[in-house]
Amino acid sequence: VDPKSRHKGKLHTEKYLAESGIKYTSIRPTYIYGALNYNPLEQWFFERLDAGRTVPVPGHGQHLTGLGHVVDLANAMATVVGNSSTVGQIYNVQDRTAITFDGMVRACASAMGMDANEVKIMHYDPEFFKGAFGKKKAFPMRPQHFFTSPAKALTDLDWSIEYDTAMGLRDSYQNDFVHKKAAGKLKNDFSTDDIVLNAM
């Protein structure tokens, strides 16, 4: 566990619950996505592609990351309620596969009906821009590998994965992004992008 991670409290909570004797089941999602999700990370990609912009991606673009659709996550969580066999267990929840950062850009383009091969991606060294963005996030994912296996959850729980990445991104684009755009509720803040693109 990264000692600087703002998420380390989740691990501490699991440890506390285990030591206290309180009955619990822990669900560990990776990046959650999908229509009406509280943290629409895919919107970051859709906004740039919709505006016809070059998409700045930190590092080499080949970091693997795990996505889990919000509906699949909710269904997994529902299966542990009242299920005594899940007490004290920890389950990782995400899609069956991981996707690279570059792959995410192209998958979002495909979900929008665009030609994924025509998308422009600019790779950059995030260390070079350390401190340049202030408190703004220049990219919605950590520039490192971050994925897991949902095999235990698929085996132990009365649960299956309904959404693969392509299907989930289409759902998010059609049932969330398009409506936000029509309502004028997109952020369209490309200030960090411009810092990167203008320096390259």
Side-chain angles (χ1 to χ4, degrees):
V1 177
D2 183 352
K4 296 180 181 178
S5 172
R6 64 186 176 89
H7 300 293
K8 63 181 180 295
K10 297 176 182 179
L11 182 65
H12 295 163
T13 301
E14 289 177 355
K15 183 179 180 182
Y16 168 78
L17 291 170
E19 292 174 348
S20 68
I22 297 173
K23 291 183 179 180
Y24 78 98
T25 303
S26 181
I27 302 292
R28 293 179 177 176
T30 48
Y31 286 112
I32 307 167
Y33 77 114
L36 305 180
N37 172 39
Y38 81 103
N39 179 29
L41 63 88
E42 63 274 30
Q43 180 176 315
W44 187 93
F45 297 91
F46 290 148
E47 285 183 334
R48 283 147 182 81
L49 292 166
D50 183 68
R53 294 178 61 92
T54 296
V55 182
V57 173
H60 43 61
Q62 298 306 303
H63 285 111
L64 288 165
T65 199
L67 300 173
H69 194 276
V70 64
V71 170
D72 286 328
L73 174 60
N75 288 339
M77 295 175 74
T79 66
V80 308
V81 178
N83 186 345
S84 60
S85 68
T86 67
V87 173
Q89 297 298 312
I90 296 172
Y91 296 102
N92 297 319
V93 174
Q94 69 158 67
D95 294 349
R96 288 183 176 83
T97 59
I99 189 169
T100 65
F101 289 170
D102 284 2
M104 182 67 174
V105 176
R106 295 189 176 98
C108 284
S110 294
M112 299 170 72
M114 300 172 63
D115 185 344
N117 294 318
E118 296 297 318
V119 171
K120 296 179 181 178
I121 297 173
M122 174 73 73
H123 296 127
Y124 67 94
D125 180 358
E127 288 299 312
F128 180 81
F129 294 94
K130 201 167 185 178
F133 308 127
K135 294 184 178 180
K136 291 184 177 181
K137 290 180 69 173
F139 193 74
M141 302 169 176
R142 294 184 289 278
Q144 63 187 50
H145 296 304
F146 180 61
F147 63 97
T148 188
S149 168
K152 181 179 177 182
L154 287 166
T155 300
D156 290 4
L157 306 178
D158 182 19
W159 176 68
S160 60
I161 297 172
E162 179 181 350
Y163 288 85
D164 63 19
T165 304
M167 180 181 175
L169 289 174
R170 283 196 303 273
D171 163 66
S172 184
Y173 178 69
Q174 295 169 1
N175 296 314
D176 198 354
F177 182 84
V178 169
H179 299 288
K180 284 182 179 177
K181 180 180 178 181
K185 294 183 178 180
L186 298 179
K187 294 179 180 179
N188 284 328
D189 180 358
F190 306 125
S191 57
T192 58
D193 300 43
D194 291 337
I195 291 172
V196 172
L197 298 174
N198 291 335
M200 303 300 284

